[in-house]
Amino acid sequence: LTSSPRPMGSSVRHTRVTAGAQLRRHVSVQPPLARAMRRNLCASAATAEGAEGGVLYDIPVSNHGARVRMLIHAKGLHDRIHIESPQVLGGLKSEEFRKLNPLGKMPLLALPDGTALPESTVILRYLESMYPEPSLLPTTPEAKARSDLFATVVDGYITPIQGCMYRGPMEAKQRADQLKQMQKYLDLLEHVLSDPQSPGAGTPIADGPFCAGNKPTLGDVVVFPSIIFADYMLPSKFGWKNLFETRPGLAKWWQAMCEWGPAAHVREEIIEALDKWDNDGRWSRVGIDEQVQLEALTWSYQ
């Protein structure tokens, strides 16, 4: 599996098939957040008019929001749940948005009754319970363990450091150290998919192509957006070789995800947003283009 060249020009969408929570993160609901989750706000009610299942506040480049958008498409809920930018409420730090989530974070699902659900894990679980068909839950204990473990690698290890690929300011050494960790955690994803000691190894669920068998699960939904980011940025911004050349299990998984309609749709949204970042000079603006010229540090792995 190889990376196809990126199209030239901002008007061309990225269409390459290349190098893409654990649902265990428990949200401590503090009193202000608990109160906000039950407020029936005029702003959210107005925005939610006609949205039978509520409104998801999110933007295309949102990594965690991409998980929720993928599930919405997988369950055919795009006509029931409207997707709006937080800007319709004045932005993440606005008073109206903070009435829904005092932390000022997305994604956030505002339900028609005024309930506000923050955190991608919470929203994924809610949607899976509210709309159980088609199910993205594994059907056996081994498959569930495998799916949860796959997601845990991203939520426990990759998500906390993936900002090293695109955020600033950050010291050059810290960025380089976190890039080295990214290599280790990509290898860990490969381990979950390919190692004979992984949950379900030696059974049909280990044959894939998805993380827990021949159907996508929530583990796949959680992991895919982070790998989209890695595939887009690590080769083009840091000189990495093809992410999948030495990771055949991950390569097989990536190919299957890119061909699954809901994932392909979300990937297109993310790539288009990342292309806008690139055209706007983000990696130069946050200091990455300058830092990668420092030969004393290692930036490229495979």
Side-chain angles (χ1 to χ4, degrees):
L1 186 67
T2 58
S3 299
S4 58
R6 296 181 56 190
M8 300 298 291
S10 59
S11 64
V12 182
R13 288 187 175 182
H14 215 296
T15 58
R16 54 182 186 167
V17 178
T18 61
Q22 182 231 2
L23 302 178
R24 64 169 174 75
R25 225 193 303 176
H26 301 289
V27 181
S28 298
V29 181
Q30 301 300 322
L33 184 56
R35 290 194 296 269
M37 289 172 68
R38 292 301 309 173
R39 284 184 182 139
N40 193 351
L41 299 171
C42 294
S44 64
T47 306
E49 185 176 356
E52 177 185 343
V55 175
L56 177 71
Y57 292 102
D58 192 42
I59 60 174
V61 80
S62 166
N63 182 284
H64 286 79
R67 305 168 176 184
V68 180
R69 300 196 311 270
M70 204 183 315
L71 191 65
I72 287 173
H73 287 287
K75 291 182 175 291
L77 300 175
H78 44 279
D79 291 331
R80 295 190 183 187
I81 299 176
H82 294 180
I83 300 174
E84 299 279 3
S85 167
Q87 289 301 321
V88 302
L89 298 181
L92 294 174
K93 305 305 179 185
S94 69
E95 180 180 354
E96 288 305 308
F97 191 86
R98 284 182 177 272
K99 288 177 183 178
L100 291 166
N101 183 359
L103 297 179
K105 293 184 177 182
M106 59 183 175
L108 181 136
L109 180 63
L111 301 179
D113 68 356
T115 300
L117 298 179
E119 302 293 334
S120 62
T121 298
V122 173
I123 301 171
L124 290 175
R125 285 176 167 171
Y126 168 81
L127 292 177
E128 188 60 46
S129 297
M130 187 70 180
Y131 307 98
E133 297 297 334
S135 176
L136 271 77
L137 295 177
T139 57
T140 68
E142 293 80 12
K144 185 179 187 301
R146 193 177 181 92
S147 177
D148 286 351
L149 181 57
F150 200 56
T152 298
V153 174
V154 164
D155 265 356
Y157 303 105
I158 292 180
T159 298
I161 65 168
Q162 72 179 40
C164 71
M165 298 185 291
Y166 54 87
R167 286 184 182 151
M170 180 181 290
E171 292 293 331
K173 186 178 186 307
Q174 180 185 6
R175 194 183 303 278
D177 288 345
Q178 291 185 357
L179 286 170
K180 184 176 182 179
Q181 290 179 311
M182 285 289 294
Q183 179 197 34
K184 178 170 67 175
Y185 299 141
L186 288 170
D187 288 343
L188 189 53
L189 288 174
E190 175 67 22
H191 170 87
V192 174
L193 294 173
S194 303
D195 193 271
Q197 300 301 316
S198 291
T203 73
I205 64 172
D207 294 335
F210 300 101
C211 74
N214 59 9
K215 292 172 54 180
T217 65
L218 291 180
D220 301 295
V221 168
V222 167
V223 171
F224 190 59
S226 289
I227 305 305
I228 297 173
F229 274 57
D231 177 50
Y232 187 101
M233 300 173 196
L234 293 177
S236 64
K237 304 304 176 185
F238 300 98
W240 288 43
K241 296 182 180 178
N242 186 304
L243 300 187
F244 305 118
E245 187 173 350
T246 59
R247 302 178 181 96
L250 200 60
K252 181 180 178 181
W253 171 84
W254 172 257
Q255 186 73 43
M257 288 297 290
C258 288
E259 293 173 356
W260 180 43
H265 179 88
V266 168
R267 179 171 175 265
E268 185 178 3
E269 291 178 337
I270 295 175
I271 292 295
E272 186 173 6
L274 294 178
D275 278 342
K276 290 179 181 178
W277 277 9
D278 205 3
N279 293 333
D280 291 342
R282 180 186 183 92
W283 282 270
S284 176
R285 188 169 62 252
V286 301
I288 289 176
D289 288 347
E290 181 179 357
Q291 287 179 339
V292 296
Q293 302 304 315
L294 299 174
E295 296 181 357
L297 298 172
T298 301
W299 304 100
S300 178
Y301 299 90
Q302 66 176 21

